Each structure stands twice: as structure tokens, then as C-alpha cells.
Amino acid sequence: YLIFWVIVVVVVLPLTWRPISVDTDVDAYRRADSQTARNHLVYLDSLNSMQAVRNESVLGQRTTLKLELLYEAKDGDVFSESVLRDIRAFEQALRSLEGWSKLCNMSEPALQFQCSPGESFGNYVWPKRLDNFLTAGGFFRLSFDGSASERLPLDAVVAYLREGRAFPHELQVFLPMAFTEGSSSRLLRSIFGFTAPSLDDADFRRNYQDFVEKQLYSAMKEVVLFTRRPVDPSSWDKPPSMQIYFRGDLLDDYEVLEALHGDMLLAIGPLILSLILAWIKFRSGFLALSATTLLCFTVLLAYVILPVEKVSLASFLGVFMIFGLGFSSFFRMHEIWRRSRLEAVEHWERLMYLFTAAGREMLPVVCTSLCYFLLLTSNLVPLREFGIFIGTSMLLAVAFALLCFVPILLLHEVYLRPCLRRMSPRVVMVLEPAHVKPNWEMLASKIMLLLRRPKPLLAGTALVVFICSVTALAVTAAQPYPELPEVFPHDHHREAGRPLLQTFRHVNPAEVAAPFTIQMCEPGRNLSSCALHWCDLQNTGSNLTSWPSEQAAACSCYAPLGLTTMCSNITVSMTISGSRATSLSEATVVPQVEAFMQTHFPDADYVETSSATSRRLQSVVLEDWPTGATHVDPMTEMPQISLGFPTPRLSTSSCHETHLCYCSPKTCTNPTGYRRTTSDLSLPALSTTTEDATSTSSLTSSEVVVLFGISKPFGLADLLAKTITAQFDSTFDPASPWAQRAMLRVCEELPTTLQVLTSRCWILDFRTWLYSRGQKFPVERFLDFHQTLKEFLVSYPSSASAMWFNEGNNLTATMFTFQVTPTDGATATLAARDLWNSYIDQLNSDAASTASNAWATSQVWVDAVTLQDALSSAWQVLLAVTGVVFLVGLFYVLDLELVLALLLVAFCVCSVIVFFFFCLCGWSFGPWELTILTVFLSYSIEPAFHIGHDFINPGLPEALRAEKPLAPDLLSVADAVDAPAFDGDGTGDDGSPPQVQAPRHDGLSQASEVNPKAKDTPEEAIQRSIHLVAKNLVSNSLKLLLCGILLAFSQLRIFSRLGAISILLPLLVVPSVLLVYPAIILASGRQRREPDVLVFGNIMINKLSWLWT
């Protein structure tokens, strides 16, 4: 029989085994299985398929492995000289790694700029100057390689990135979404990428994985620890002035696997401890080793049965719990087997007794397994997987105990023990330490001394529980918000950097290189390729950077030196610097410019402004040479102005000239080739409305994305589904004018209740672009929309980052992003989500069918829903577990009073645990902590089931009793079977001659003697029950305590927190089961041994007997 099951296990495992693949997605613990989360998963998945067909010639379709670095200034802001210098030094050291250079050279040549020099803010802060002097053309050149020793002024860098000449780079690539020009920032981001040279990326990924394992991860881990090292005043070696956080493809996975590998090595400790304690408990090395082997098989078979492709970290957590809790089934089977010696002589009779009694004995273990399966109702997928894994493992342990361990017990007794008689006594003492056993009878008697006065004991317990409960409720209620599960410790760079990273916009490595060399031009040169204008600041004696809004802006104007008095027609281009021209409407500025021209050319016959609109030029950087301070002003080119003069004139030809006006307290020195005008331009003061409209918010922001053309997921997902694939919406037709109108409405008709700060809507730029070409919006019906859009993307290439394209490179889906004011708390966030959904639903109901399936998503919504749903599902699990424990307890104990006392004991244990960890240790209350407490609820009262059952056992019918009356002729047989093994010469273990052994006070051989009897008083019955229960309870508690100590040193937070609870729980369960629960029974004064269910059944039978009499 045993050989049969060994063959089954040996054959089944290899045939069904699959390689272990670990799910390293730590964000799954912060993502509930809700419609909001599924929507966001679809959005994230769609970002990977913005091109419908992978094309070898399209570089964007190659595999790009991304490394994202986040810097946080320790003091001040990240723009300080010391922080930027430390960032540059670190990135240079990173690029100098041997593996980095090798991988970069292996990358696609056209995209090697992603890794060298990378996409870093420092490249723009430290540009190399290619011209030492201003060239004859009025410009000097800069190269953005980050190698210079002289910094480019920060406001110049910000202006350059803001104005779009650095495409695909912009401010939000490097700075948080809430950053506004002129403000400071504590955060900065750099992005590096390695792109495979072909679509076949297997070798490239393998080399990158090797680089991560051998060089990159260790380098990143070392520098992260170095930046967090406290400053030693006595040391010259100072840590950097910033902290570093990193994310990366394959790098994140390796970090999780490395931590998991280290923690799983700790699992060897619980396994060895379990083996040693089982050795002592069984008093047999063979039984301990066999039970440990079977326990390992339960873990392996549970993995085979688990219906997932990738195993989450929570399932590995179950390995610790199995080693800590799984021996209960084997201990119970061993107890019953030894007890069977007192029930029968023949082996088949003992086996019949064993399997009959096992049904009742295993019921508490099955109850614990069912409690784990209740985790399937949780909204967190990893917790569902954890529940299936640990529940399946517990049931498999029961199955192995019944089907495999019983033959092992028989084999041990019939064949192995006789063989031990021929061995050395010392060997026997090691293999079968029969004399190593605590005096459980003495322990039971000591406990009963404490229970002589149960009411004071219960009063003290009630006081402690009351204080712990009230304090824990007050502390948890005072916490601003519950906490979502964190896989790593709170101070780990992964968890500490999570909220910081969420302040940045999601960006992938650029597919085209940003301009590497640019020109800085002198104002008035009319150069089209200028990145910025640059001039020396004229000393005006004013400290103002802009005119007060209530004051008119005085402008200093310059005209070219060349004379145009001989021309009968003059076309003037007016360029104005300063924020006043951009703050005022064009209708306000143009009349002022015309009046200035009329004054400057008093003999002009007419002054006319063209119908074209004004346009922004690259800003001008004004440098104060003595101090090195700089100031940046925007520059605006007004519509051309035509002036006509009466004849006769020297010439009838037409002339063109450019005028410069500095409408700011900061003005440039006299530009080359220009003269000061005799009259000046004046711009009016700003109105209050205009001032308010131009003000910016300094608040942080959250991102909301509205999508067209991506199908919204519907229906129920698989219980263990971890990914969702995005699909395109076939009904979306962007070429339809009604679809274009619907997209425009999303961006134009935003209600104020949505609290939108800024938006990124390419449809607005598309409409403006069409108007500038003299075309209509939407694109006219008989024009080619897709061809028109491709022409638009030539002028606005950054808009393509918000579009999905099909095989024909035509638009098939799009998105619009909005920065909104962040809300305070999950409830307010979900209320904002409902407002957005109502707004989108209303637009969908009004839109044509070609664009009526728009929907919105946001990461902050996912976090809020996860917190709310995970907590609600955790409370549901708690109620379900309580219900299961109550029903199973009622079925097992058959007494309502005793079962309610069991639940009261469990409440006391949980109250003290909550107080200890939430009040004393400072844990934040969250769904993970609540779930851990829930699954331990059944464990904490499982031993008490036996005390309750033993108390009412004499009151049961004989067929339901745990033990039958002891046959006198079997007692000597039981003692003889349990006698110590003898060696071959007939001597005992201690070398003495064999003697007839008196009945020993062995907890197993004397099982029937300590089982409660009908004649016992309640005190005697409880003492006998404590004697029975204490053996397994103390053994399991000690094992769980030692496993918890090892688990507490884990790197993963979910492991260490379970370890902390595993340390405290046994310290509470042992006194609760052995002291508090018996005290409740004794304090009630109950003498009746009949269970409530039996009494109630007899009453009901008597009441209803008239039906059959």
C-alpha cells in the first residue's frame, strides 16, 4: 500500500511538473480585481501596441529595455549645484560600467543615444560650448553632451525644454507633472534605454539579463544604500546630496527574485526546526523524517495543482506556513495510532479504529483549510492565490496523513522497531528517543492550580482585552487612511519611490534623438534655427523682473540702422519680448502697435495689419555679466504691418524691416545693427480677470486619461487572472466628422467640477493647424482625414505619442490626458471618478456611434478602489471565516455555549495582536494585516475544539464518543508495545537486563486513561483535556514561534509581518486555550455534560413525538 502511494507521487510529480515561474508584479498587491483596475490594465497594455504590426524597419517596434532613475534632493531643491553635480557623477560612473558599454554597443545603432549619453536633464544643464565667440551670423553653438564644466543657466534650460525645440524631450520627461516654470522641484528623472538590433531579441535579452545580474543590480543597490547613509561629521567621505530610486525592465524582476531567493533560504530553517521538533514529538527519527518528506510533497503537489502560469510571492509565503502549521495532521494521526493499541490488538482492527476516529480528529484541520479557501472572495488576486495554495496544501497534508503516513506508522511498529533492538543503545537513543518527553501531567496540574479561582483570571483578561480593543480602535481610527499592502519595507527604495514616481508622466525611451547641437542667437538676426535668443542685460537700475499688473508696461524699442525713407511701401515685423504681450489678447496689443508705428512714421498715409495671427518665438535669455544672473522673457512676433506713403518718394519700391521692443524692466543692450527709436511702445495694464487667468497652480496633480478606440473590458475576469489584453474598438472611426467633434468636446467642454489644471489635447492643436491653412474643422467630408493627420504630425510630432496606428499607419485609437487637482482620501477620489464617468457617459450618449465608447482611467482611481474594495472584501472574509468556524465548531463540539466561548477566546487573541502591532509597533491598518489576522483566527481556536469536545464527550451517545471503555486485557498489551526498544543481547537501552515495565506515564500510551469520563467532575475533565491538548498545542506553538523568528528577518515585508504575527500568536494562543477557555467553562458553573444540540434535539423529539405516536 505504501509502495503504491510512493509510486503515485513519484510518477505524478514528474509528469505534471512545470518550471517554476515567479510573478514579480509587486503592484498586484495594490490593485483590486475591480472594473476600475481592469480598465487601467487595458490602458497600460495598450501602450505596448501603439503600432498594430511589428515591422523590422520601424525602430519603435524593437524591444527596448528601460532603466528609469529618480533623484530626490535631501535638502533644498534638485536644481542646486551640488545635487546636479552628484547626479552627473553618478550617471557617468554608470555609463562607464563594462557591461553598460557592451550592451550599448550591441543596441540598435540608430537608438544608441538612449544609453549614451541617455535622456538626462544633466545633458542640458552641462552643454559643451562649440564656439568661444559670437559668430558673424550672430549665434554661438552648444552641444548637449553633459560634459562641460560650466552650467547653462537653469531658467534657460527650462525655457528651451518648454518651448518644444528639444523634441521629443520636454519638461515632463524630466520633471514632475505639477512642475511650473519658475518653481522649484525636489525630484528629477533620467531615462536610459537599450534597444534590440532586430525583432529577434532573445540573445539581446539574455545579455542584458546577464548584465543586470552581474553588474547593474549590485551597482544600483550599492549606490542606493550609500545615498541613504547618515552623514558622519568626522568623515571626509560624504554621501551624495540626493537619494536615488530606480525602476527597470528585468532589473525590477531580478530585485524581487533576489529578495525572494534570500527569504526562501530562510525556509530551510523552519524545515529543519520542524524536523527536530517532530523527532522529539514522535520520539522517532524515522517517523519525523517521513512526515517531513510528505510535508514537502504537499507543497510540490499544491504547486502542480495551482491553476496559474506564474506563482505570486504570496504562494511562497505559504511554504513557511505549511512548515509551521502542516505537522498537525501527522501529529494527530500518530496520537490516534498509539491510542488504538488500547482499543484493539489486531492491526486491521486498529486501522479500522484509526480511520473512524480520524474523521473527527481532522475536522478542525479541515476547518482551517476552508478558512484559507474563503480568501477566494478577496478582491486582491495574490490573496486568492495564497488562499488556494495554503488551503490545498493543508488538505493534501490531511490526505497524506491518512493515506501515506498510516502505512508508515504500521511499517515503523511492525518492522523497524524490532530491528532497532539489535542496535547500539546510543544509536537507539538518537533514533528513538523514547525518554525525551515533557511531564504533561504535571503541567496540567499546575494549570489547574491557576484555575481554582477562574473569575479573577477572567476579570483580569477582560480588562486587558478591553484596554487593548479600545486603544486599537482609537489608534486605527486616528490614522488618516488605511494602507495598501507593500511587498518591500516602507523605507525600501521601491516602496519609498512609488509615490514619487507617480508624480511623473509615463514616458518610454525616445524613438528619435533630440537635437544634439543647437544655436543660441542674438535678438534681431531673424534666424529660423534658433533654440534660444541670448543677449547682455542692460543696467537699468531696476530690480523688477516684470511690470506690476496694475501698471502699464513701458517698452524700449529699436529700429534697424538702414534708412527706408526712400521706399513708398514698408512692411514691418514687430517682435516684442516680455510676459505682458503674451498675457494680453492680440486684439489689445495690435492697436497699440499700430499707434506706435503711426508715431514712428508720422508721414505714413495708412497703417494696416495683416490678417495673420501673432506667433511665439524662442525666448530671450538676458544675462547680467557682472553677477552672472540670468532672466528669461518670452518673445512674440506680431502680425506684419504694412505702411504706405504718399508720392512722390525717392523710390516706388517696397521695403521690409524688423523692430524690437523690450516690454519688461529687463532689457537687452543695444542690438547689433539697431538704433533706439525716438518713441516707445506702451502696453496697457492687466485686468484682474486676465491676471487670475494667467496664474498657475503650484499644487501637485493627478493624471486622468480619456481614451477613444480602445475597447473597455466588460464581464467577470478569471479569479486568478493577472493580465488583461487590450483590444481596439472597431466602431471608432476618427475620419468621421462626428467623431472629431466628439473628441473636441471632451477637451473643450470640461466642467469646473472636474478641477482640470492642464490638458494635453492634440485635437485642439489639430483644429488650430487646420485654421492656419485656411481649412475647416472637422476635416471636410471629401478630404482624406488620415493623410491630413499625417501632414499635421510633421508639424506636431509629439502628438503621435497619444495615438495608436493600424497596419496602414492610420489612426485607430487615441487618448487625451488631463492634470487634475488631487483629492484627499479614497472617498473623495472615488467621488471625482464618478464625476468623470458621468461626464464621459453624457458625451457618449450625445455622440454618434463612431465615437460613443470613450472612457476614462487614472492610477489614483485604481489605488482608491483597491483600498476600499480590499478592505471591504477583507471584512467579508472575516465574517465568512467566523461563520465557518462557528458552524464547524458547532458540528464538532455540538454545544452552542462552548462554541461561543471559543469565538470569545479568538476575539481576545486578535484584540491583543491588533493592539501590539497597530499601537505599539506603529503598523498601519490595511487589508493585508486584516487578512492575516483572519486566517489565523481558526488556528488560534483549533486546539480549543478538543477541550470543548472532551468536556461534552461523556454526555454523548456511546456511538459518538471519542473512546470506548478500556478493555482490561489490552492495557498490558499497550504498555508492552510502547516499551523501549532493546538491543540484540537482550539488554535495555541503558544496558540493564530486561524487566517487566510498569505502565509508564506516557501521554500516548495512557490516552484512554486521561480521556474525560462520565464520573469526572468538570475540573477533573478539564484537567484531563489540558493534558491531552497541551502536547500538540505546545509542540505546534513552539514550532510556529521558531519559524516566525526566522521569517521576521525576511527582506519582503509581507513575509516579515507574517513572521512577527507568528511570533506573537503562539505566546497568546497557549495561555488562551489552556487558561482562558477552561476558565470560562469553570466560571459558568456548568455541571451538565450533555451538549446543547443533544438536549435541544431531545426536546424537539419529545415535542414532535405526537406525529408518529
Side-chain angles (χ1 to χ4, degrees):
Y1 184 75
L2 178 61
I3 294 175
F4 168 75
W5 283 109
V6 170
I7 293 175
V8 169
V9 172
V10 171
V11 172
V12 169
L13 273 178
L15 290 179
T16 59
W17 186 257
R18 63 184 186 275
I20 298 178
S21 180
V22 182
D23 182 9
T24 57
D25 181 17
V26 298
D27 291 331
Y29 295 83
R30 306 175 60 87
R31 185 172 59 240
D33 183 21
S34 62
Q35 185 64 47
T36 300
R38 288 194 288 270
N39 289 351
H40 202 68
L41 282 176
V42 166
Y43 160 65
L44 294 177
D45 183 71
S46 67
L47 295 177
N48 299 322
S49 57
M50 302 191 82
Q51 288 284 345
V53 178
R54 299 194 72 189
N55 191 326
E56 183 73 39
S57 62
V58 179
L59 297 181
Q61 299 302 297
R62 310 279 183 83
T63 297
T64 298
L65 301 172
K66 174 183 174 184
L67 173 62
E68 196 169 6
L69 303 177
L70 191 64
Y71 306 100
E72 181 185 21
K74 294 180 179 178
D75 298 306
D77 66 58
V78 78
F79 298 135
S80 68
E81 180 86 17
S82 60
V83 174
L84 291 174
R85 191 186 304 113
D86 289 340
I87 291 175
R88 181 174 67 163
F90 166 68
E91 292 182 353
Q92 288 176 346
L94 203 60
R95 294 196 299 267
S96 66
L97 292 175
E98 180 183 355
W100 187 288
S101 303
K102 177 182 176 182
L103 259 297
C104 197
N105 292 330
M106 289 177 57
S107 300
E108 166 60 40
L111 297 179
Q112 289 183 3
F113 65 87
Q114 296 174 342
C115 50
S116 181
E119 301 177 66
S120 171
F121 192 76
N123 295 337
Y124 295 97
V125 174
W126 313 92
K128 180 170 63 177
R129 186 162 181 166
L130 302 180
D131 300 307
N132 294 325
F133 305 98
L134 194 67
T135 65
F139 64 87
F140 63 92
R141 295 171 300 157
L142 296 177
S143 176
F144 292 124
D145 61 357
S147 64
S149 57
E150 181 182 348
R151 281 179 54 186
L152 188 66
L154 181 64
D155 47 6
V157 175
V158 171
Y160 174 63
L161 292 172
R162 173 179 52 81
E163 293 176 356
R165 286 300 182 101
F167 177 81
H169 291 164
E170 55 179 331
L171 284 175
Q172 289 190 348
V173 172
F174 307 108
L175 293 165
M177 293 181 290
F179 177 80
T180 56
E181 191 171 1
S183 63
S184 61
S185 175
R186 293 175 50 249
L187 302 175
L188 190 66
R189 176 173 66 176
S190 294
I191 299 175
F192 297 90
F194 299 86
T195 301
S198 66
L199 291 180
D200 184 8
D201 61 352
D203 290 340
F204 185 78
R205 294 180 71 93
R206 192 161 40 248
N207 281 280
Y208 186 79
Q209 180 71 40
D210 186 66
F211 168 56
V212 167
E213 296 177 3
K214 294 182 178 179
Q215 294 187 41
L216 184 58
Y217 176 70
S218 57
M220 296 302 304
K221 183 178 180 180
E222 181 181 354
V223 75
V224 166
L225 296 177
F226 181 60
T227 58
R228 282 159 176 73
R229 193 178 66 183
V231 178
D232 184 4
S234 62
S235 174
W236 288 95
D237 188 15
K238 303 296 183 184
S241 53
M242 81 291 184
Q243 290 186 341
I244 298 177
Y245 312 89
F246 63 87
R247 297 288 188 276
D249 297 328
L250 302 185
L251 183 63
D252 291 346
D253 298 342
Y254 181 73
E255 182 177 34
V256 174
L257 293 176
E258 186 74 6
L260 178 63
H261 178 263
D263 290 349
M264 292 312 296
L265 289 178
L266 295 176
I268 299 176
L271 184 62
I272 295 176
L273 289 174
S274 298
L275 175 62
I276 295 174
L277 290 174
W279 200 317
I280 297 174
K281 179 67 174 63
F282 291 135
R283 296 198 285 278
S284 169
F286 173 73
L287 294 180
L289 187 60
S290 300
T292 304
T293 303
L294 292 176
L295 200 61
C296 293
F297 276 129
T298 63
V299 175
L300 300 178
L301 282 177
Y303 164 70
V304 171
I305 296 172
L306 194 65
V308 293
E309 294 182 2
K310 291 187 175 183
V311 184
S312 71
L313 301 177
S315 295
F316 287 93
L317 182 62
V319 175
F320 283 91
M321 296 192 64
I322 286 297
F323 291 157
L325 306 177
F327 273 99
S328 299
S329 302
F330 301 100
F331 287 165
R332 295 189 188 285
M333 294 306 297
H334 186 244
E335 285 277 335
I336 302 172
W337 177 247
R338 298 187 67 182
R339 195 185 307 158
S340 69
R341 302 167 190 166
L342 305 178
E343 303 295 331
V345 176
E346 299 294 333
H347 287 138
W348 68 268
E349 293 177 337
R350 292 178 62 187
L351 291 174
M352 289 293 295
Y353 168 80
L354 182 144
F355 286 112
T356 302
R360 179 183 62 84
E361 291 288 338
M362 292 299 177
L363 189 59
V365 182
V366 174
C367 173
T368 302
S369 303
L370 293 178
C371 292
Y372 288 116
F373 280 111
L374 289 174
L375 289 178
L376 285 172
T377 61
S378 173
N379 279 346
L380 294 177
V381 174
L383 286 183
R384 295 176 184 171
E385 183 181 325
F386 170 74
I388 292 179
F389 181 81
I390 189 68
T392 304
S393 299
M394 296 287 285
L395 291 180
L396 286 174
V398 172
F400 275 123
L402 290 171
L403 301 178
C404 297
F405 193 60
V406 172
I408 292 175
L409 289 171
L410 186 61
L411 179 68
H412 170 260
E413 183 172 306
V414 175
Y415 296 103
L416 187 61
R417 287 181 64 87
C419 293
L420 291 176
R421 300 176 184 274
R422 295 187 293 270
M423 293 186 179
S424 168
R426 290 185 176 84
V427 175
V428 173
M429 290 183 62
V430 174
L431 297 179
E432 300 282 329
H435 298 287
V436 180
K437 54 183 179 180
N439 192 338
W440 302 113
E441 184 177 356
M442 183 183 68
L443 175 65
S445 61
K446 296 293 184 183
I447 292 175
M448 292 307 300
L449 291 177
L450 298 175
L451 293 176
R452 286 182 176 179
R453 301 180 62 188
K455 292 184 178 180
L457 176 64
L458 291 179
T461 303
L463 179 62
V464 172
V465 171
F466 176 77
I467 294 174
C468 292
S469 302
V470 172
T471 307
L473 286 174
V475 170
T476 54
Q479 292 178 355
Y481 310 110
E483 187 180 76
L484 287 172
E486 294 179 346
V487 174
F488 289 97
H490 187 69
D491 58 347
H492 189 274
H493 83 92
R494 191 80 169 265
E495 299 296 343
R498 182 194 307 276
L500 305 180
L501 191 63
Q502 290 179 352
T503 62
F504 288 82
R505 183 163 59 89
H506 178 79
V507 175
N508 289 321
E511 298 176 7
V512 295
F516 188 70
T517 302
I518 55 108
Q519 295 180 354
M520 307 288 278
C521 306
E522 186 182 23
R525 295 302 184 105
N526 297 326
L527 298 175
S528 59
S529 58
C530 289
L532 286 174
H533 295 91
W534 196 286
C535 70
D536 288 337
L537 179 66
Q538 185 176 0
N539 187 7
T540 60
S542 174
N543 293 325
L544 295 175
T545 57
S546 61
W547 297 113
S549 57
E550 67 278 2
Q551 177 183 338
C555 305
S556 302
C557 297
Y558 297 85
L561 291 174
L563 298 177
T564 58
T565 55
M566 64 181 63
C567 301
S568 59
N569 294 289
I570 302 178
T571 302
V572 178
S573 295
M574 172 69 78
T575 300
I576 303 176
S577 74
S579 59
R580 184 62 58 89
T582 60
S583 301
L584 294 171
S585 65
E586 185 175 314
T588 302
V589 177
V590 168
Q592 303 296 323
V593 174
E594 290 178 345
F596 167 74
M597 287 299 171
Q598 190 69 61
T599 304
H600 186 64
F601 296 100
D603 57 337
D605 192 26
Y606 64 88
V607 177
E608 294 181 353
T609 303
S610 66
S611 59
T613 59
S614 60
R615 67 186 185 96
R616 285 286 298 272
L617 301 178
Q618 273 53 57
S619 297
V620 57
V621 181
L622 300 92
E623 181 182 20
D624 182 25
W625 185 252
T627 63
T630 55
H631 172 73
V632 177
D633 271 333
M635 295 189 73
T636 307
E637 184 181 65
M638 302 304 297
Q640 288 189 350
I641 299 175
S642 298
L643 296 98
F645 297 90
T647 56
R649 272 213 163 204
L650 296 179
S651 172
T652 59
S653 61
S654 298
C655 301
H656 181 273
E657 63 180 39
T658 299
H659 286 221
L660 297 176
C661 287
Y662 297 100
C663 299
S664 169
K666 305 291 185 182
T667 64
C668 289
T669 56
N670 197 0
T672 304
Y674 283 80
R675 58 181 175 82
R676 188 76 161 80
T677 58
T678 57
S679 59
D680 285 329
L681 174 68
S682 179
L683 298 180
L686 294 173
S687 63
T688 304
T689 303
T690 303
E691 180 185 10
D692 293 342
T694 58
S695 63
T696 58
S697 172
S698 60
L699 294 174
T700 58
S701 62
S702 303
E703 185 178 65
V704 176
V705 181
V706 177
L707 296 108
F708 286 86
I710 303 294
S711 294
K712 187 177 181 180
F714 290 102
L716 296 177
D718 183 10
L719 281 176
L720 298 178
K722 300 177 181 179
T723 58
I724 299 180
T725 304
Q727 296 180 346
F728 291 110
D729 180 10
S730 59
T731 65
F732 177 65
D733 182 13
S736 168
W738 288 105
Q740 298 171 49
R741 295 185 184 104
M743 290 187 286
L744 184 66
R745 287 189 63 191
V746 169
C747 297
E748 273 201 332
E749 300 181 7
L750 294 166
T752 57
T753 54
L754 300 183
Q755 299 183 347
V756 175
L757 300 175
T758 60
S759 63
R760 293 172 59 88
C761 292
W762 64 264
I763 195 70
L764 297 174
D765 296 331
F766 183 58
R767 181 181 62 174
T768 302
W769 179 79
L770 288 175
Y771 287 163
S772 68
R773 292 173 41 141
Q775 295 178 325
K776 298 178 181 179
F777 179 87
V779 175
E780 295 183 77
R781 193 176 302 278
F782 299 105
L783 293 180
D784 188 344
F785 165 79
H786 293 291
Q787 182 59 38
T788 305
L789 183 66
K790 293 172 185 176
E791 295 173 4
F792 162 74
L793 292 178
V794 174
S795 301
Y796 293 83
S798 61
S799 298
S801 62
M803 300 177 184
W804 286 260
F805 300 96
N806 61 13
E807 296 87 343
N809 207 28
N810 295 329
L811 179 69
T812 188
T814 188
M815 65 179 174
F816 306 108
T817 58
F818 304 89
Q819 303 303 318
V820 300
T821 303
T823 50
D824 190 16
T827 303
T829 300
L830 295 181
R833 178 203 60 177
D834 294 339
L835 289 175
W836 272 97
N837 289 339
S838 299
Y839 168 64
I840 298 298
D841 290 344
Q842 181 61 43
L843 293 181
N844 285 338
S845 63
D846 297 338
S849 59
T850 54
S852 59
N853 293 325
W855 50 280
T857 184
S858 175
Q859 180 61 49
V860 294
W861 299 352
V862 175
D863 292 343
V865 169
T866 298
L867 183 59
Q868 189 178 71
D869 289 359
L871 274 177
S872 62
S873 65
W875 287 113
Q876 293 172 7
V877 170
L878 176 60
L879 293 177
V881 167
T882 304
V884 169
V885 170
F886 175 78
L887 293 176
V888 174
L890 191 61
F891 179 77
Y892 185 80
V893 180
L894 301 176
D895 194 282
L896 181 62
E897 182 182 353
L898 296 179
V899 171
L900 292 178
L902 284 174
L903 295 178
L904 182 61
V905 170
F907 171 77
C908 295
V909 172
C910 292
S911 297
V912 178
I913 290 177
V914 168
F915 168 78
F916 184 84
F917 289 114
F918 293 161
C919 300
L920 301 183
C921 297
W923 287 12
S924 295
F925 180 73
W928 180 255
E929 289 74 19
L930 181 60
T931 303
I932 291 178
L933 292 177
T934 299
V935 297
F936 275 122
L937 174 66
S938 61
Y939 170 79
S940 64
I941 62 175
E942 179 186 324
F945 280 168
H946 299 279
I947 293 180
H949 183 82
D950 290 342
F951 183 81
I952 56 93
N953 184 64
L956 292 174
E958 184 174 341
L960 298 178
R961 292 183 186 178
E963 301 286 340
K964 297 178 182 179
L966 179 64
D969 59 332
L970 294 179
L971 181 58
S972 59
V973 174
D975 294 332
V977 170
D978 200 53
F982 292 93
D983 56 19
D985 60 2
T987 60
D989 293 340
D990 55 357
S992 61
Q995 300 177 3
V996 178
Q997 297 289 323
R1000 297 174 305 155
H1001 297 288
D1002 183 90
L1004 296 174
S1005 63
Q1006 301 292 330
S1008 292
E1009 291 300 298
V1010 299
N1011 203 69
K1013 303 298 184 292
K1015 64 182 181 179
D1016 290 340
T1017 64
E1019 290 79 6
E1020 292 173 336
I1022 289 177
Q1023 180 172 353
R1024 294 174 184 271
S1025 298
I1026 292 175
H1027 186 173
L1028 284 174
V1029 170
K1031 292 180 289 185
N1032 286 340
L1033 176 60
V1034 174
S1035 300
N1036 287 331
S1037 298
L1038 180 61
K1039 179 157 51 68
L1040 185 62
L1041 174 67
L1042 296 176
C1043 292
I1045 292 175
L1046 292 175
L1047 196 59
F1049 293 97
S1050 300
Q1051 300 178 59
L1052 300 177
R1053 190 188 190 193
I1054 57 175
F1055 284 27
S1056 60
R1057 287 209 163 180
L1058 181 64
I1061 293 180
S1062 299
I1063 294 172
L1064 182 62
L1065 186 66
L1067 301 178
L1068 298 176
V1069 169
V1070 171
S1072 297
V1073 173
L1074 299 182
L1075 279 175
V1076 178
Y1077 186 57
I1080 294 176
I1081 299 176
L1082 294 176
S1084 66
R1086 175 171 172 171
Q1087 299 294 323
R1088 174 175 53 86
R1089 308 294 291 277
E1090 283 186 307
D1092 293 342
V1093 173
L1094 187 60
V1095 173
F1096 179 75
N1098 291 331
I1099 294 174
M1100 293 301 297
I1101 290 175
N1102 292 332
K1103 294 290 184 181
L1104 300 176
S1105 61
W1106 61 272
L1107 292 175
W1108 55 81
T1109 59

